[in-house]
Amino acid sequence: MGIFNRKSNESAVAVATLPVDPALAALTGDYTIDPAHSSIGFTVRHAMVTNVRGTFAEHEGVLKLDGANPGASTASIDVKIASIDTGIGDRDGHLRSGDFFDAEQFPLMTFRSLEAQQLGGDKYRITGDLTIKDVTKPLAIDLEFNGSATDVYGNERVGFEGSAEILRSDWGLTWNAALETGGVMVSDKVKLNFDISAIKNAA
Protein backbone atom coordinates (compact mmCIF):
# COMPACT_ATOMS: atom_id res chain seq x y z
CA MET A 1 0.00 0.00 0.00
CA GLY A 2 1.48 3.38 -0.92
CA ILE A 3 1.48 6.42 1.32
CA PHE A 4 3.41 8.97 -0.71
CA ASN A 5 3.36 9.55 -4.47
CA ARG A 6 6.35 10.37 -6.61
CA LYS A 7 6.97 13.95 -7.64
CA SER A 8 4.46 15.21 -10.14
CA ASN A 9 5.18 14.46 -13.80
CA GLU A 10 3.10 13.58 -16.84
CA SER A 11 2.59 9.94 -15.86
CA ALA A 12 1.78 10.94 -12.26
CA VAL A 13 -0.95 13.28 -13.53
CA ALA A 14 -2.48 10.41 -15.47
CA VAL A 15 -2.37 8.14 -12.41
CA ALA A 16 -4.04 10.84 -10.31
CA THR A 17 -7.21 10.47 -12.38
CA LEU A 18 -7.63 6.84 -11.26
CA PRO A 19 -9.90 6.00 -8.30
CA VAL A 20 -8.21 6.31 -4.93
CA ASP A 21 -7.44 3.02 -3.18
CA PRO A 22 -10.11 2.81 -0.41
CA ALA A 23 -7.60 1.30 2.03
CA LEU A 24 -5.22 4.18 1.35
CA ALA A 25 -7.98 6.78 1.59
CA ALA A 26 -8.97 5.39 4.99
CA LEU A 27 -5.57 6.44 6.36
CA THR A 28 -6.21 10.11 5.58
CA GLY A 29 -6.03 12.27 8.67
CA ASP A 30 -3.86 13.83 11.32
CA TYR A 31 -1.70 11.63 13.52
CA THR A 32 0.25 12.19 16.72
CA ILE A 33 3.50 10.31 17.25
CA ASP A 34 3.30 7.98 20.26
CA PRO A 35 6.61 8.50 22.11
CA ALA A 36 6.05 5.43 24.29
CA HIS A 37 6.18 3.20 21.21
CA SER A 38 8.58 5.21 19.03
CA SER A 39 12.34 5.64 19.02
CA ILE A 40 14.66 8.31 17.61
CA GLY A 41 18.31 7.39 17.91
CA PHE A 42 21.77 7.55 16.41
CA THR A 43 24.94 5.53 15.86
CA VAL A 44 28.42 7.06 15.68
CA ARG A 45 31.90 5.53 15.39
CA HIS A 46 34.03 5.89 18.53
CA ALA A 47 37.85 5.78 18.58
CA MET A 48 37.79 4.40 15.02
CA VAL A 49 37.04 0.86 16.24
CA THR A 50 33.52 0.59 17.65
CA ASN A 51 30.06 2.16 17.57
CA VAL A 52 28.28 4.16 20.25
CA ARG A 53 24.50 4.12 20.13
CA GLY A 54 22.13 6.54 21.76
CA THR A 55 18.53 7.69 21.80
CA PHE A 56 16.54 10.83 22.56
CA ALA A 57 13.99 9.79 25.16
CA GLU A 58 11.74 12.84 24.79
CA HIS A 59 10.26 13.79 21.45
CA GLU A 60 6.94 14.72 19.94
CA GLY A 61 5.59 15.10 16.47
CA VAL A 62 2.66 15.05 14.09
CA LEU A 63 1.98 13.46 10.73
CA LYS A 64 -0.61 14.54 8.18
CA LEU A 65 -1.46 11.73 5.78
CA ASP A 66 -3.45 12.49 2.63
CA GLY A 67 -4.81 9.35 0.99
CA ALA A 68 -6.18 11.23 -2.04
CA ASN A 69 -2.86 13.02 -2.66
CA PRO A 70 -0.19 11.08 -0.72
CA GLY A 71 2.63 13.32 -1.94
CA ALA A 72 1.05 16.16 0.06
CA SER A 73 1.51 14.28 3.34
CA THR A 74 3.74 15.98 5.88
CA ALA A 75 5.75 15.29 9.04
CA SER A 76 6.92 17.53 11.87
CA ILE A 77 9.12 16.33 14.77
CA ASP A 78 10.62 18.08 17.80
CA VAL A 79 13.34 16.33 19.81
CA LYS A 80 14.42 17.44 23.29
CA ILE A 81 18.23 17.49 23.25
CA ALA A 82 18.55 17.21 27.04
CA SER A 83 16.92 13.77 26.85
CA ILE A 84 19.93 12.26 25.07
CA ASP A 85 20.87 8.86 26.50
CA THR A 86 23.91 6.79 25.54
CA GLY A 87 23.94 4.78 28.75
CA ILE A 88 26.86 6.72 30.31
CA GLY A 89 25.97 9.81 32.35
CA ASP A 90 29.30 11.61 31.93
CA ARG A 91 29.20 11.14 28.17
CA ASP A 92 25.60 12.35 28.01
CA GLY A 93 26.60 15.45 29.97
CA HIS A 94 29.40 16.15 27.51
CA LEU A 95 27.01 15.79 24.57
CA ARG A 96 24.62 18.29 26.20
CA SER A 97 27.45 20.79 26.73
CA GLY A 98 28.69 23.57 24.47
CA ASP A 99 31.23 21.18 22.94
CA PHE A 100 28.36 19.45 21.15
CA PHE A 101 24.64 20.31 21.26
CA ASP A 102 24.66 23.14 23.83
CA ALA A 103 21.27 21.93 25.08
CA GLU A 104 20.77 24.88 27.44
CA GLN A 105 20.88 27.43 24.62
CA PHE A 106 19.42 25.19 21.89
CA PRO A 107 16.98 22.81 23.63
CA LEU A 108 15.33 21.35 20.51
CA MET A 109 16.34 19.53 17.36
CA THR A 110 13.58 19.83 14.76
CA PHE A 111 12.59 18.30 11.44
CA ARG A 112 10.00 19.79 9.08
CA SER A 113 9.22 17.84 5.91
CA LEU A 114 9.00 19.58 2.55
CA GLU A 115 8.62 16.75 0.05
CA ALA A 116 7.70 13.05 -0.12
CA GLN A 117 8.70 10.59 -2.81
CA GLN A 118 7.89 6.92 -3.38
CA LEU A 119 10.91 4.77 -4.18
CA GLY A 120 8.98 1.56 -4.83
CA GLY A 121 6.65 -0.68 -2.85
CA ASP A 122 6.40 0.59 0.72
CA LYS A 123 9.71 2.46 0.58
CA TYR A 124 9.80 6.26 0.59
CA ARG A 125 12.13 9.22 0.87
CA ILE A 126 11.05 12.21 2.96
CA THR A 127 13.03 15.40 2.44
CA GLY A 128 12.89 18.37 4.76
CA ASP A 129 14.77 20.78 6.99
CA LEU A 130 16.74 19.50 9.97
CA THR A 131 17.66 22.15 12.53
CA ILE A 132 20.35 21.49 15.14
CA LYS A 133 21.53 24.40 17.29
CA ASP A 134 21.21 27.45 15.00
CA VAL A 135 21.88 25.61 11.74
CA THR A 136 19.18 24.42 9.33
CA LYS A 137 20.10 22.14 6.44
CA PRO A 138 18.21 19.71 4.16
CA LEU A 139 17.89 16.09 5.23
CA ALA A 140 16.55 13.11 3.27
CA ILE A 141 15.18 10.22 5.35
CA ASP A 142 14.60 6.83 3.74
CA LEU A 143 11.50 5.23 5.27
CA GLU A 144 9.58 1.99 5.08
CA PHE A 145 5.85 1.98 5.78
CA ASN A 146 5.18 -0.92 8.15
CA GLY A 147 1.42 -0.82 7.80
CA SER A 148 -1.62 0.21 9.81
CA ALA A 149 -3.59 -1.45 12.60
CA THR A 150 -6.17 -0.83 15.30
CA ASP A 151 -4.69 -1.54 18.73
CA VAL A 152 -6.47 -3.12 21.72
CA TYR A 153 -7.58 0.32 22.93
CA GLY A 154 -9.24 1.16 19.62
CA ASN A 155 -6.49 3.52 18.44
CA GLU A 156 -5.82 3.58 14.71
CA ARG A 157 -2.06 3.38 14.22
CA VAL A 158 0.45 3.63 11.39
CA GLY A 159 4.09 2.64 11.61
CA PHE A 160 7.27 3.70 9.83
CA GLU A 161 10.94 2.92 10.27
CA GLY A 162 13.84 4.62 8.56
CA SER A 163 17.33 6.02 8.62
CA ALA A 164 19.54 8.80 7.33
CA GLU A 165 23.24 9.65 7.41
CA ILE A 166 24.62 13.10 8.15
CA LEU A 167 27.98 14.74 8.71
CA ARG A 168 27.67 16.34 12.14
CA SER A 169 30.14 19.05 11.16
CA ASP A 170 27.53 20.37 8.69
CA TRP A 171 25.48 21.39 11.75
CA GLY A 172 28.42 22.87 13.66
CA LEU A 173 29.08 19.79 15.84
CA THR A 174 32.84 19.79 15.33
CA TRP A 175 34.37 18.80 18.70
CA ASN A 176 36.94 16.03 18.45
CA ALA A 177 40.19 14.70 19.86
CA ALA A 178 43.11 13.19 17.97
CA LEU A 179 44.21 9.63 18.78
CA GLU A 180 47.88 8.77 19.31
CA THR A 181 47.51 5.93 16.83
CA GLY A 182 45.97 8.20 14.20
CA GLY A 183 42.39 9.16 13.49
CA VAL A 184 39.96 10.89 15.83
CA MET A 185 37.84 10.06 18.85
CA VAL A 186 34.43 10.64 17.22
CA SER A 187 33.57 10.15 13.56
CA ASP A 188 32.02 12.97 11.58
CA LYS A 189 29.47 10.63 10.02
CA VAL A 190 26.41 9.87 12.13
CA LYS A 191 23.58 7.47 11.30
CA LEU A 192 20.12 8.55 12.45
CA ASN A 193 17.48 5.89 13.14
CA PHE A 194 13.72 6.32 13.33
CA ASP A 195 11.05 3.85 14.47
CA ILE A 196 7.73 5.65 14.54
CA SER A 197 4.27 4.64 15.71
CA ALA A 198 1.59 7.32 15.30
CA ILE A 199 -2.03 7.40 16.46
CA LYS A 200 -4.79 8.90 14.34
CA ASN A 201 -6.42 11.89 16.01
CA ALA A 202 -10.12 11.76 16.77
CA ALA A 203 -12.24 13.42 14.10
Side-chain angles (χ1 to χ4, degrees):
M1 182 190 305
I3 291 293
F4 303 102
N5 279 343
R6 295 182 183 277
K7 295 179 183 178
S8 297
N9 52 38
E10 291 183 0
S11 60
V13 171
V15 170
T17 63
L18 298 175
V20 175
D21 181 345
L24 179 61
L27 298 180
T28 296
D30 296 326
Y31 293 75
T32 299
I33 292 175
D34 176 9
H37 297 94
S38 301
S39 175
I40 297 176
F42 61 90
T43 304
V44 62
R45 183 75 72 179
H46 176 261
M48 309 295 290
V49 297
T50 190
N51 289 318
V52 168
R53 294 175 174 82
T55 60
F56 294 94
E58 297 182 40
H59 52 82
E60 60 184 20
V62 294
L63 310 176
K64 185 176 184 63
L65 303 184
D66 188 334
N69 181 21
S73 299
T74 61
S76 176
I77 300 173
D78 293 341
V79 177
K80 188 174 181 180
I81 293 295
S83 71
I84 195 168
D85 182 5
T86 65
I88 305 237
D90 287 346
R91 181 166 59 204
D92 296 342
H94 191 199
L95 290 169
R96 295 184 190 107
S97 76
D99 282 346
F100 285 94
F101 288 106
D102 196 355
E104 184 173 348
Q105 184 174 357
F106 304 103
L108 293 179
M109 173 173 62
T110 65
F111 177 78
R112 302 289 184 265
S113 71
L114 299 172
E115 186 176 82
Q117 184 179 9
Q118 186 173 10
L119 303 179
D122 287 330
K123 297 184 182 300
Y124 306 88
R125 179 166 294 143
I126 308 302
T127 303
D129 287 335
L130 175 67
T131 300
I132 302 175
K133 299 175 77 169
D134 55 351
V135 179
T136 299
K137 287 186 173 291
L139 175 70
I141 304 173
D142 288 338
L143 291 169
E144 183 169 358
F145 176 53
N146 289 336
S148 61
T150 301
D151 66 23
V152 295
Y153 302 104
N155 297 313
E156 297 180 60
R157 291 180 179 267
V158 292
F160 299 87
E161 60 181 307
S163 63
E165 286 190 352
I166 66 170
L167 297 179
R168 60 189 179 91
S169 60
D170 287 345
W171 280 266
L173 304 177
T174 57
W175 183 93
N176 228 321
L179 302 175
E180 291 183 5
T181 53
V184 292
M185 181 68 74
V186 185
S187 68
D188 192 19
K189 183 169 69 174
V190 180
K191 182 176 182 180
L192 305 176
N193 305 293
F194 306 88
D195 200 342
I196 301 297
S197 178
I199 298 173
K200 191 172 188 179
N201 299 344

